[in-house]
């Protein structure tokens, strides 16, 4: 009896073991991990964004999308994926030249056969123009609506971004990742060559090389839906599904303005000098924005620096207000918020205080040293406005002495290009000029794409240069932008009512433009910027180009704090106070106003030659930040607003990818089936055995502590 029951137990255990191992062989458990070729570490996903009416971007299923790898090297290869291949769904590896609208739409339209796409990024820029952005950026939230001027709405006069394919605004129901072209991608290609390639037109044999991409997105449908779900979730768990896009605008004034006294200021007249701080591309976190954002705001920063001394020694009648807007890419988040705040007594000045606007747009690519002064033909129909605009143009023209730049106005009937100034015009006819390097369509061939980078702006260095040498190496672009900055600075000074005699003393410093270009387009972690930031921000400096994607409000983005501290350094002054007083904004006890006017920042400074300890110092400036969050969210609560940006970014948990070998689908099913069958049999046996245990195992039920 004993022997029989032991045999039974062994048999049951055996059956269990077989069941489990068969299951494993079928792909159900950890032994699969051994077959994994690569974990993809350096990948950028495309993520989901939502506005009032749509969702755009990409996502995978909760457990990641899996597909058989297929490397598409030419458009003919696509047929295998879309129609003939016998092992769908496919994970398409796309060479960067093929990442265009027509191919992506074909894949989108047969999404049952496509598990996902991985685009191998190129290491050099393409020759022809590529822009995944729309051809008419911010079409519905600028000033040119049907009611403003019917002939100018929807880019009817000038299509600003002719290369724009709109790919960034499509919705894909599979994941799309960007892969750096490196050894990992080489491994992927090798895996494909070894396992998946057709030999003599016969179908490839299992096991096949497959890829799995995870980028599941929590938010669906539109902003109103996800904000509602946020509200519901909030009461149970603090887990939101989406966040509004936004950040902070940065501003500074040439004359002290009391920042706690909001609204209208009697006798105050300000000239707004504006630039934008953000950009985007198809992929999350890749937004080099060299021409679309950096060329303009670096020029404005250099102009602000050129004006530091003269605005103190010979102050003009009007105040110059430098403003750097965040989130402009997504329906003018930053500028629309500042204008809204100005209209509602929530900003340091109001719209009545605004004399005029000078905006620096994309200025990095001017050829023939030619720049264009854009203005709004509709508001200029009013003579009062037109007169001021003419004056602004004259001021700019008279600023050119000693410079190798010509300025022209485009045809009178042409509307403004996409610009923050449009949001001011939407509220009232304020005179203003937008400086650009293009007459009509953008000269930028890579608008809001991953190729709008240092290479495109020709910020490159001779070989074998050390970091320190590169930081000081004045490229042609730096020289050219310094000249533009000089024109901007002089024109602002004139516009603010400054004396003509001072103009030739105003010159931008090409050295500082050089250092800024290096800091934003090559790397922010350099000895120059390290001196200018507080020590708690030093660890945020990066060894890569700055990413200008606006992000969500919870995390202030890199460009905002860099520009904030740069602007303080370039327009402020050093004050001799202790670190503690500086950090507590407790500098001038006698002047209680001063802490409402100035910002005091204790920055790291440099280490003297024979020491490793940095010697920090206190910088006093008029630099402040203001919210760059659409009023649709925190004030109006109108998630379907037509006037303000409604963009939100979905949250996600996992972004990752891996490549491994899979056995045949049928084989998998078969082994799984057998496994389940064996498992059920063994369970049944166990049940029978245990229910008959009284009989089977009776002899074993003696108490172990039996009496002797
Ligand atoms: C990628 O990540 C995995 C696990 O995190 C690691 O084992 C592997 O070495 C990494 N590969 C590279 C190229 O860094
Ligand atoms: C939302 O985005 C989609 C896609 O770009 C666009 O067609 C639509 O007009 C946008 N909706 C609003 C209200 O802006
Ligand atoms: C890539 O492979 C080459 C040659 O196999 C090797 O020299 C190089 O170090 C590898 N690079 C990385 C980042 O692993
Ligand atoms: C493919 O076909 C060629 C000639 O038709 C033959 O020589 C070769 O062995 C075949 N290769 C395989 C792997 O079947
Ligand atoms: C022109 O604009 C000025 C100031 O904005 C305004 O006072 C005036 O009424 C406008 N004139 C006409 C004819 O609209
Ligand atoms: C910045 O560069 C320094 C060397 O100059 C290095 O020690 C530091 O780790 C870098 N910081 C970051 C955040 O990469
Ligand atoms: C700006 O930074 C430089 C060094 O990077 C420093 O020498 C200078 O004193 C700073 N100026 C101000 C006003 O912070
Ligand atoms: C800074 O202030 C301290 C004490 O108030 C003084 O001893 C020192 O000389 C001052 N330094 C400078 C550079 O003015
Ligand atoms: C640096 O060295 C010089 C001479 O070697 C010395 O006079 C000076 O005091 C030193 N400075 C510091 C901050 O140690």
């Amino acid at each position: 009896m004993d022997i029989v029951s032991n045999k039974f137990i062994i048999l049951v255990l055996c059956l269990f073991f077989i069941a489990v191992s068969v299951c494993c062989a079928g792909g159900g458990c950890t032994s699969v991990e051994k077959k994994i070729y690569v974990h993809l570490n350096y990948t950028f996903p495309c993520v989901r964004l939502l506005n009032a009416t749509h969702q755009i971007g990409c996502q995978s299923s909760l457990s990641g999308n899996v597909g058989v790898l297929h490397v598409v090297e030419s458009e003919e290869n696509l047929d295998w994926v879309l129609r003939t291949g016998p092992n769908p769904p496919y994970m398409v590896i796309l060479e960067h030249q093929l990442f265009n609208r027509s191919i992506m739409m074909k894949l989108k339209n047969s999404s049952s056969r496509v598990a996902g796409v991985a685009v191998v990024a190129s290491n050099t820029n393409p020759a022809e123009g590529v822009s995944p952005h729309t051809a008419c950026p911010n079409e519905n939230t600028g000033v040119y609506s049907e009611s403003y001027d019917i002939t100018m709405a929807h880019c009817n006069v000038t299509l600003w971004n002719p290369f724009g394919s709109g790919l960034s605004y499509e919705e894909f129901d599979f994941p799309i990742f960007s892969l750096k072209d490196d050894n990992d991608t080489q491994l992927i290609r090798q895996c494909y060559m070894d396992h998946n390639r057709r030999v003599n037109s016969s179908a490839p044999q299992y096991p096949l090389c497959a890829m799995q991409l995870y980028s599941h997105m929590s938010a669906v449908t539109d902003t109103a839906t996800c904000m509602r779900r946020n509200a519901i979730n909030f009461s149970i768990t603090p887990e939101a599904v989406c966040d509004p896009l936004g950040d902070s605008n940065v501003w500074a004034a040439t004359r002290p303005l009391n920042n706690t006294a909001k609204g209208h200021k009697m006798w105050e007249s300000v000239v707004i000098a504006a630039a934008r701080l953000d950009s985007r591309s198809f992929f999350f976190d890749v937004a080099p924005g060299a021409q679309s954002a950096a060329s303009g705001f670096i020029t404005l920063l250099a102009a602000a620096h050129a004006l530091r001394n003269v605005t103190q020694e010979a102050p003009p009648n009007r105040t110059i207000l430098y403003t750097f807007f965040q989130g402009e890419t997504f329906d003018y988040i930053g500028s629309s918020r500042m204008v809204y705040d100005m209209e509602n007594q929530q900003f340091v000045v109001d719209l009545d205080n605004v004399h005029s606007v000078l905006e620096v747009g994309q200025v990095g690519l001017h050829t023939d040293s030619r720049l264009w002064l854009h203005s709004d033909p509709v508001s200029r129909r009013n003579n009062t406005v037109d007169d001021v605009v003419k004056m602004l143009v004259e001021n700019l023209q008279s600023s050119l002495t000693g410079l190798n730049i010509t300025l022209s106005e485009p045809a009178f009937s042409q509307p403004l290009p996409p610009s923050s100034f449009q949001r001011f015009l939407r509220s009232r006819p304020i005179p203003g000029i937008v400086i650009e390097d293009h007459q009509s369509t953008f000269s930028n061939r890579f608008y809001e794409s991953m190729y709008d980078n240092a290479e495109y702006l020709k910020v490159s260095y001779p070989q074998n240069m050390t970091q320190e040498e590169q930081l000081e190496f004045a490229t042609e672009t730096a020289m050219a932008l310094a000249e533009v900055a000089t024109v901007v600075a002089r024109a602002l000074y004139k516009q603010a009512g400054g004396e003509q005699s001072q103009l030739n003393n105003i010159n931008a410093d090409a050295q500082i433009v050089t250092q800024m270009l290096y800091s934003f387009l090559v790397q922010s972690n350099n000895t120059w910027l390290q001196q200018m930031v507080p020590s708690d921000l030093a660890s945020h400096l990066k060894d890569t180009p700055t990413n200008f994607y606006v992000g969500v409000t919870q995390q202030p983005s890199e460009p905002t704090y860099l520009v904030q501290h740069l602007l303080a350094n370039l327009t402020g002054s050093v004050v001799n106070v202790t670190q503690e007083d500086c950090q507590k904004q407790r500098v001038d006890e006698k002047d209680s106003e001063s802490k409402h006017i100035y910002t005091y920042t204790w920055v790291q400074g440099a280490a003297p030659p024979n020491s490793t300890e940095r010697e920090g110092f206190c910088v006093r400036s008029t630099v402040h930040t203001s919210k760059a969050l659409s009023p649709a969210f925190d004030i109006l609560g109108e998630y379907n607003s037509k006037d303000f940006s409604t963009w939100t970014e979905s949250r996600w948990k996992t972004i990752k990818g891996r490549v491994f070998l899979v056995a045949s689908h049928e084989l998998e099913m078969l082994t799984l089936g057998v496994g389940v069958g064996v498992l059920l049999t063994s369970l049944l046996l166990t049940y029978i055995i245990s229910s008959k245990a009284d009989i089977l195992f009776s002899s074993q039920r003696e108490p172990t502590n039996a009496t002797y």
Side-chain angles (χ1 to χ4, degrees):
M1 197 65 159
D2 271 356
I3 296 159
V4 176
S5 65
N6 280 343
K7 269 187 184 162
F8 258 110
I9 291 167
I10 289 165
L11 179 66
V12 169
L13 284 177
C14 278
L15 284 173
F16 251 98
F17 183 73
I18 291 165
V20 169
S21 54
V22 168
C23 258
C24 281
C29 65
T30 49
S31 69
V32 175
E33 295 286 335
K34 291 202 192 79
K35 294 184 208 148
I36 290 174
Y37 267 50
V38 225
H39 281 278
L40 303 172
N41 301 0
Y42 305 105
T43 56
F44 298 100
C46 141
V47 303
R48 173 168 289 166
L49 302 176
L50 310 100
N51 70 2
T53 50
H54 288 67
Q55 56 178 1
I56 60 169
C58 321
Q59 80 153 351
S60 76
S61 68
L62 190 56
S63 54
N65 284 19
V66 187
V68 172
L69 270 185
H70 190 76
V71 176
V72 174
E73 277 157 342
S74 70
E75 200 154 354
E76 295 84 70
N77 289 163
L78 214 56
D79 203 47
W80 183 260
V81 174
L82 300 178
R83 274 174 291 272
T84 53
N87 317 103
Y90 285 97
M91 195 59 88
V92 181
I93 308 293
L94 211 55
E95 299 298 335
H96 61 92
Q97 315 85 296
L98 299 175
F99 181 56
N100 58 35
R101 185 177 180 90
S102 88
I103 290 185
M104 289 310 293
M105 292 317 273
K106 279 182 195 162
L107 293 172
K108 174 178 166 162
N109 292 335
S110 45
S111 59
S112 61
R113 290 181 60 91
V114 178
V117 176
V119 183
V120 180
S122 102
N123 293 323
T124 53
N125 285 356
E128 71 287 3
V130 177
S131 170
H133 209 71
T134 49
C136 184
N138 290 355
E139 179 173 351
N140 299 319
T141 43
V143 71
Y144 298 107
S145 60
E146 275 85 356
S147 59
Y148 192 70
D149 187 309
I150 194 133
T151 61
M152 295 179 187
H154 307 295
C155 294
N156 261 349
V157 178
T158 308
L159 193 64
W160 296 107
N161 186 28
F163 290 110
S165 67
L167 208 53
S168 290
Y169 290 85
E170 288 296 331
E171 191 209 343
F172 296 93
D173 52 12
F174 47 76
I176 304 178
F177 279 48
S178 163
L179 306 177
K180 221 164 76 178
D181 195 359
D182 59 8
N183 289 3
D184 276 359
T185 8
Q186 213 42 53
L187 264 172
I188 294 170
R189 288 199 184 95
Q190 197 58 48
C191 187
Y192 166 78
M193 288 297 196
D194 295 348
H195 299 281
N196 297 9
R197 217 159 41 128
R198 262 176 303 175
V199 182
N200 290 351
S201 73
S202 64
Q205 300 297 306
Y206 278 101
L208 292 175
C209 193
M211 184 189 250
Q212 185 169 30
L213 297 178
Y214 296 81
S215 64
H216 181 68
M217 298 288 142
S218 315
V220 287
T221 316
D222 55 36
T223 288
T225 310
C226 81
M227 293 305 280
R228 203 165 51 235
R229 278 189 58 197
N230 279 354
I232 295 167
N233 273 352
F234 199 73
S235 57
I236 309 161
T237 58
E239 198 164 292
V241 292
C242 68
D243 301 288
L245 293 185
D247 196 305
S248 294
N249 299 322
V250 179
W251 63 270
T254 52
R255 235 193 326 223
L257 294 173
N258 185 344
N259 188 35
T260 45
K262 308 286 187 194
H264 190 68
K265 292 223 175 15
M266 286 304 242
W267 317 124
E268 187 65 63
S269 175
V270 302
V271 169
I272 291 185
R276 67 187 267 185
L277 276 184
D278 71 305
S279 174
R280 75 169 297 203
S281 78
F282 186 85
F283 296 102
F284 178 71
D285 261 4
V286 189
Q291 157 77 340
S292 69
S295 70
F297 78 72
I298 287 177
T299 301
L300 185 55
L301 283 168
H305 178 239
L307 285 168
R308 171 163 61 188
N309 292 344
V310 70
T311 51
Q312 274 154 27
E313 284 152 19
N317 303 333
R318 301 191 180 93
T319 305
I320 301 170
L321 188 73
Y322 307 110
T323 56
F324 297 85
F325 293 120
Q326 265 288 9
E328 297 298 277
T329 306
F330 294 97
D331 292 331
Y332 303 118
I333 297 174
S335 56
S336 68
R337 179 56 183 262
M338 190 175 281
V339 171
Y340 182 89
D341 285 348
M342 284 181 172
E343 285 178 319
N344 292 280
Q345 280 72 53
Q346 294 300 311
F347 192 68
V348 67
V349 292
D350 74 1
L351 282 179
D352 289 332
N353 291 126
V354 179
H355 168 264
S356 54
V357 176
L358 178 63
E359 179 168 345
V360 189
Q362 310 187 75
V363 291
L365 295 174
H366 54 286
T367 46
D368 317 330
S369 305
R370 192 138 190 213
L371 291 171
W372 298 88
L373 308 177
H374 296 260
S375 57
D376 169 45
V378 180
S379 55
R380 287 184 74 174
R381 287 174 200 153
N382 175 324
N383 287 337
T384 327
V385 174
D386 190 44
D387 288 346
V388 183
V389 175
K390 280 187 182 139
M391 196 188 75
L392 302 184
V393 173
E394 258 165 51
N395 290 341
L396 281 151
Q397 296 285 9
S398 69
S399 306
L400 298 174
T401 13
L403 300 175
N404 179 26
I405 288 184
T406 49
L407 297 172
S408 325
E409 280 189 87
F412 186 75
S413 57
Q414 182 175 265
L416 285 170
S419 48
S420 311
F421 177 44
Q422 290 199 20
R423 289 303 300 204
F424 288 84
L425 285 174
R426 228 174 126 113
S427 284
R428 63 173 70 177
I430 290 170
I433 294 279
V434 179
I435 304 184
E436 302 271 353
D437 59 13
H438 53 91
Q439 179 180 11
S440 60
T441 58
F442 292 164
S443 43
N444 188 350
R445 284 182 291 127
F446 301 128
Y447 189 71
E448 313 285 31
S449 84
M450 62 208 283
Y451 305 118
D452 186 7
N453 52 18
E455 179 190 336
Y456 188 45
L457 264 199
K458 301 204 187 72
V459 175
S460 55
Y461 304 92
Q463 279 193 336
N464 305 329
M465 259 197 176
T466 65
Q467 254 188 42
E468 289 305 306
E469 286 165 344
Q470 293 185 356
L471 185 57
E472 305 295 328
F473 180 80
T475 55
E476 267 176 37
T477 305
M479 310 295 251
L481 288 186
E483 292 220 324
V484 183
T486 302
V487 178
V488 169
R490 290 177 183 173
L492 282 171
Y493 187 68
K494 280 281 310 269
Q495 199 168 326
E499 297 160 29
Q500 179 78 30
S501 61
Q502 295 284 342
L503 284 195
N504 291 341
N505 300 338
I506 302 174
N507 287 296
D509 185 346
Q511 190 64 33
I512 283 181
V513 176
T514 299
Q515 287 159 327
M516 287 195 282
L517 283 171
Y518 182 84
S519 300
F520 287 104
L521 306 186
V522 182
Q523 61 175 69
S524 57
N525 189 15
N526 59 63
T527 52
W528 185 66
L529 263 192
Q530 279 163 3
Q531 297 173 36
M532 289 183 200
V533 295
S535 51
D536 54 332
L537 285 181
S539 61
H540 294 314
L541 297 178
K542 301 243 169 65
D543 291 336
T544 52
T546 307
N547 161 30
F548 290 105
Y549 172 66
V550 56
V552 293
T553 38
Q554 282 87 340
Q555 304 129 13
S557 67
E558 193 191 354
T560 305
Y561 70 75
L562 289 185
V563 166
Q564 188 184 341
H565 293 293
L566 258 170
L567 188 59
N569 179 282
L570 299 178
T571 61
S573 53
V574 178
V575 286
N576 183 15
V577 296
T578 64
Q579 179 169 4
E580 201 194 349
D581 285 350
C582 186
Q583 283 165 345
K584 292 197 169 142
Q585 311 283 304
R586 196 174 57 198
V587 173
D588 201 347
E589 296 287 346
K590 280 164 287 168
D591 182 7
S592 61
E593 280 258 290
S594 85
K595 68 163 181 277
H596 303 309
I597 294 173
Y598 297 109
T599 306
Y600 297 90
T601 319
W602 186 263
V603 298
Q604 288 198 112
N610 46 2
S611 163
T612 53
E613 279 291 292
R614 287 178 181 275
E615 283 179 357
F617 55 91
C618 188
V619 181
R620 185 184 77 169
S621 69
T622 60
V623 176
H624 291 88
T625 57
S626 70
K627 257 190 195 172
L629 173 64
S630 166
F633 293 101
D634 64 335
I635 302 174
L636 307 168
E638 286 172 8
Y639 304 134
N640 52 4
S641 171
K642 287 200 165 53
D643 295 320
F644 294 102
S645 168
T646 53
W647 287 106
T648 50
E649 179 189 281
S650 172
R651 290 199 182 179
W652 58 84
K653 290 213 166 64
T654 327
I655 298 284
K656 65 176 182 185
R658 53 185 196 162
V659 177
F660 51 90
L661 292 180
V662 280
S664 126
H665 196 61
E666 287 78 30
L667 188 64
E668 258 177 67
M669 280 302 145
L670 185 69
T671 44
L672 190 70
V674 170
V676 169
V678 172
L679 188 70
L680 287 179
T681 317
S682 57
L683 281 177
L684 190 68
L685 274 172
T686 319
Y687 174 75
I688 294 167
I689 291 165
S690 57
S691 63
K692 300 273 189 266
D694 280 356
I695 308 156
L696 290 173
F697 304 133
S698 58
S699 62
Q700 284 192 333
R701 294 188 114 208
E702 290 159 2
T704 43
N705 57 348
T707 49
Y708 301 104

